[in-house]
Amino acid sequence: MSSNTRIPDYDLPDAVDVSTPTQLRAIADPLRATILDLVLERAATVAELATAVDRPKSSVAYHVNVLLEAGMLRVVRTRRVRAIDERYYGRTGRTIHVGVVRRSGDTTTPVCINGLSVAAAESVPAHEADTLYTTMRHARIPKESAAQFWRRVEALIREFTELPRSGDTVYGFVAGLYPTDHPVLPDPDHAPAEDSD
């Protein structure tokens, strides 16, 4: 494992917004999502990425090009190796904000990735091995408070992605904040009177 002290090892803007159908198709592919995750640790060549995901270089090169064209990857540096320029790829933003886009004619279903469903599937082995750390809470709060809280969660996610790389296990970290129809207690001033027996 690498022991980089700067994660990643290239300059990276805080965020990039994706919302076009081309971008959403690019990020929806599981292999391309993995590539984006890998280069959040450090810039990598196609050969390094192919080794990491155990796929042919030609296949990985295709997916890297899709991400380049979608504006989610960029060449962050090159190195001359035996008369060939080796390209190192990095992300265009530390956080990828996925905008809501709907398919033509469908006004209800957004076209985007649900990180919670991906995490649910990915976490099954950890759940079965009793090595899954998870918690879930509900709170009735104003929309402005939810947005402020989410900014703090994003800071924690950034801290997680910048941890020095060491050890033998890759941990996943997922967070979500969403409105629900979870029941709430009535306000104390409007609580129903207790029945007396």
Side-chain angles (χ1 to χ4, degrees), residues 3-78:
S3 59
N4 293 331
T5 55
R6 182 176 170 221
I7 307 293
D9 61 350
Y10 56 93
D11 290 332
L12 182 62
D14 279 339
V16 62
D17 294 318
V18 301
S19 60
T20 69
T22 300
Q23 290 173 320
L24 294 170
R25 278 192 301 274
I27 199 172
D29 182 89
L31 178 57
R32 291 194 284 265
T34 299
I35 290 169
L36 286 170
D37 197 45
L38 288 169
V39 297
L40 192 54
E41 177 178 339
R42 65 174 178 83
T45 65
V46 167
E48 290 174 318
L49 291 167
T51 298
V53 298
D54 195 25
R55 297 280 184 91
K57 281 176 33 177
S58 59
S59 174
V60 171
Y62 166 79
H63 290 286
V64 164
N65 284 329
V66 170
L67 290 167
L68 280 168
E69 290 173 14
M72 286 179 273
L73 276 187
R74 63 188 172 96
V75 176
V76 297
R77 65 178 170 270
T78 60

Side-chain angles (χ1 to χ4, degrees), residues 149-167:
F149 180 78
W150 187 250
R151 286 191 291 275
R152 291 174 52 210
V153 171
E154 286 180 323
L156 185 60
I157 292 167
R158 181 176 179 151
E159 179 185 331
F160 178 78
T161 61
E162 292 177 345
L163 290 171
R165 300 312 200 248
S166 61

Side-chain angles (χ1 to χ4, degrees), residues 101-111:
V101 173
R102 303 188 193 284
R103 288 187 179 91
S104 178
D106 184 351
T107 59
T108 58
T109 309
V111 178

Side-chain angles (χ1 to χ4, degrees), residues 133-137:
Y133 301 95
T134 182
T135 187
M136 182 173 176
R137 296 289 185 267

